[in-house]
Amino acid sequence: MQLTMTQRQELKLIMTMELRQAIELLQYSTFELEQFIREQEAENPLIELKDRNASVSFDAPTSRTAGGEGLRTDWLKAPDALYRDDLVSMVRLNFSDEESVLLLSYLILNLDDNGYLILPENCGIEEEILTAGIHMLQEIGPAGIGARNLQECLLLQLDEEEDQVARQMVSHCFALLTSRKWKEIAQLLQVTLTDVKSAFDRIRTLNPKPCSLINDHQTDYTFPDVIVVEREGNLEFSLNDGHLPEVTLNTDYLPYLDSKNEVGNYLTERHKQYRWLLSSLEQRRETLIKIVRVLAQKQQAFFLKGPEALNPLTMREVAEEIGMHESTISRATANKVIRTPAGTFEMKLLFSSKLESDGGVSVSQNKVKTLLRQYIDQENKHRPLSDQKLAEHFKKEHGITVSRRTISKYRDELNIPSSSQRKDIII
C-alpha cells in the first residue's frame, strides 16, 4: 500500500447563518418582520430603532404614484356574539337549584363554536341526566344547542313543531334523507311525495349550526403587506410598511469598534449583523416591489373585479419576468396579504395554473371554478348534471378540456355536493 499526497479542487455551496436568516426574512409578513426587527434591537447594541409614520408607495406599470399614510389595517368586524359566559349567566338567572346550574355550566363549557356538545369519554354523567340537561339548554339558548350530532340537532329544533312527517324523516329516515332517496322515504313513512317535499322544505329551514356565533375569540385583524388602489381607472400600489421602525446605527459604541480586544471583536461582529439586516430589509422590499409590479400588470382585471377575473399565471412566469428563481417568488409571497379594490386576499391566490382551450387561450382554475358554480346554480334541480356531463359541457360551450376527476375535485373544493345529493323531489 503506497501513501500519496494529492490536491483536489472542489466547489461547495454552504448555507451560512446569514443566508438562512435572509431566506427566513423574505418569508416574514410585515407584522412578523416588525417583531423580528425589535428582537434584533434587543440582541444587538449597535442597532437603534426610530419610529416613523410614513410609507413609500410605488406605481404599477399603468398607474401613478400613490401616497402613504403609515400603517393601514383591515379588520373583520365581530358580530354580536353569544358567549359562553353569557350562557352561564343566563343559566343562573333561569335555574335556582345548584345541581341544574352545575350540570348546565358543565355542558356549556363543553360546547364547540357551533353549539355542539363534545364530551370527554367516561364523563360520568348518566344518559338520562345528560338528555335532561340538553333539553334544559333549549330553554335559554337557540334551538338545537347542545346536540351531539346533526341528527339530534335537527330533532331538537323540530321538538315543538307540528310537522310530524319532518320529524319522522329525521328520526327514522336520516340516512335516506342525506342520500335524497325520496321515493323510499315516502314508501317507508306511507306518505305522498308532496308530503315528503313539504317536510324537506321545512327541514331545510333549520340551522345545522345553531350557535355559530358562540366563541371566545377577539376581533380578527389582518395587516395587509401590500395595498392596491384604483385611481381614475389606474392601479396604484404601496407597501404597507410605514409602521416599521427605521433601523439606524447607535453611534455611542463607534469609538470602541476598532479596539484590539474582546469588546472590539464583539462590536465588529455586531456591526456585520447590523449591515446584514439593512441589506436584507432592502432586498426584501425590492423583491416585493418587483413582484407586485408584475402582478399589477398581469392581474389588473383581478384587482378590479375579483377572483372570477383571475388570469392564469404561474410563479415561474413571474420569476422569468423579473430574473429571479421560482423559489424566491414562492418565499416572497408566502404569508403575505394584499388588499385590493375587490377585497383582501392572500398573495398566493394571484397565482393559478392553466387549463388550455381549443382556441389556444389559457384559462385559470379560478375561472373554471366560477363557471362550474354558475352551471350548477342554473341546472335543472330535478335532473342535476353529473361530473361527466359538466366536463362535456365545458368542452362544448367553451372548448375547455376538463376531466371528470378534475370536476369532482373542484366541486369538493367549492363544497358542492354530488348530483345525487343535489336532486330535488319530482312530484
Side-chain angles (χ1 to χ4, degrees), residues 145-162:
I145 184 175
R148 286 159 288 186
N149 51 58
L150 177 60
Q151 184 180 15
E152 186 178 11
C153 177
L154 298 179
L155 285 173
L156 288 171
Q157 296 178 61
L158 290 168
D159 258 351
E160 299 179 1
E161 296 291 336
E162 297 180 357

Side-chain angles (χ1 to χ4, degrees), residues 101-346:
V101 172
L102 290 175
L103 173 62
L104 294 178
S105 299
Y106 176 79
L107 296 182
I108 290 170
L109 293 176
N110 283 277
L111 294 175
D112 66 11
D113 288 343
N114 292 323
Y116 284 87
L117 183 61
I118 309 296
L119 289 176
E121 295 182 6
N122 303 322
C123 63
I125 303 177
E126 296 180 3
E127 181 65 25
E128 183 178 348
I129 297 176
L130 187 60
T131 302
I134 293 174
H135 282 279
M136 283 190 288
L137 275 180
Q138 310 306 305
E139 300 179 22
I140 61 170
I145 184 175
R148 286 159 288 186
N149 51 58
L150 177 60
Q151 184 180 15
E152 186 178 11
C153 177
L154 298 179
L155 285 173
L156 288 171
Q157 296 178 61
L158 290 168
D159 258 351
E160 299 179 1
E161 296 291 336
E162 297 180 357
D163 194 340
Q164 293 300 318
V165 177
R167 181 165 180 77
Q168 289 177 0
M169 284 175 60
V170 175
S171 180
H172 304 299
C173 310
F174 191 70
L176 297 175
L177 175 63
T178 57
S179 301
R180 300 200 171 201
K181 303 294 185 180
W182 309 124
K183 292 183 179 180
E184 295 181 28
I185 292 174
Q187 293 174 359
L188 185 63
L189 299 181
Q190 296 184 350
V191 296
T192 64
L193 284 175
T194 302
D195 294 332
V196 172
K197 184 179 186 336
S198 176
F200 180 64
D201 290 340
R202 176 67 188 96
I203 294 172
R204 292 174 69 176
T205 65
L206 304 179
N207 188 357
K209 298 179 180 179
C211 296
S212 56
L213 298 184
I214 292 184
N215 61 78
D216 296 322
H217 303 292
Q218 301 296 324
T219 302
D220 292 327
Y221 294 88
T222 178
F223 298 89
D225 301 276
V226 181
I227 297 175
V228 180
V229 297
E230 177 191 9
R231 298 187 193 278
E232 300 178 359
N234 295 322
L235 291 178
E236 304 171 1
F237 75 87
S238 61
L239 301 186
N240 190 24
D241 58 0
H243 66 292
L244 291 179
E246 182 181 359
V247 180
T248 61
L249 182 64
N250 188 343
T251 57
D252 294 340
Y253 292 94
L254 289 182
Y256 308 99
L257 192 60
D258 296 328
S259 301
K260 304 299 182 181
N261 50 33
E262 293 184 3
V263 174
N265 295 335
Y266 173 80
L267 292 178
T268 298
E269 288 299 320
R270 293 296 178 265
H271 190 257
K272 290 181 180 178
Q273 292 180 2
Y274 160 75
R275 288 185 299 175
W276 164 83
L277 180 60
L278 287 181
S279 175
S280 298
L281 289 174
E282 184 61 26
Q283 184 178 4
R284 176 186 179 276
R285 294 184 78 253
E286 290 179 356
T287 301
L288 273 176
I289 292 167
K290 291 178 180 179
I291 293 174
V292 178
R293 274 208 179 102
V294 175
L295 292 177
Q297 181 181 18
K298 304 287 187 180
Q299 299 290 11
Q300 185 174 8
F302 169 87
F303 292 135
L304 299 177
K305 300 178 182 179
E308 66 276 4
L310 184 68
N311 294 320
L313 182 68
T314 63
M315 291 186 181
R316 181 183 297 276
E317 291 174 330
V318 175
E320 293 174 353
E321 186 86 13
I322 63 178
M324 293 184 177
H325 195 273
E326 185 178 352
S327 62
T328 302
I329 307 300
S330 177
R331 293 188 180 98
T333 55
N335 308 314
K336 306 294 190 304
V337 174
I338 183 168
R339 192 175 77 188
T340 74
T344 301
F345 309 93
E346 292 185 0

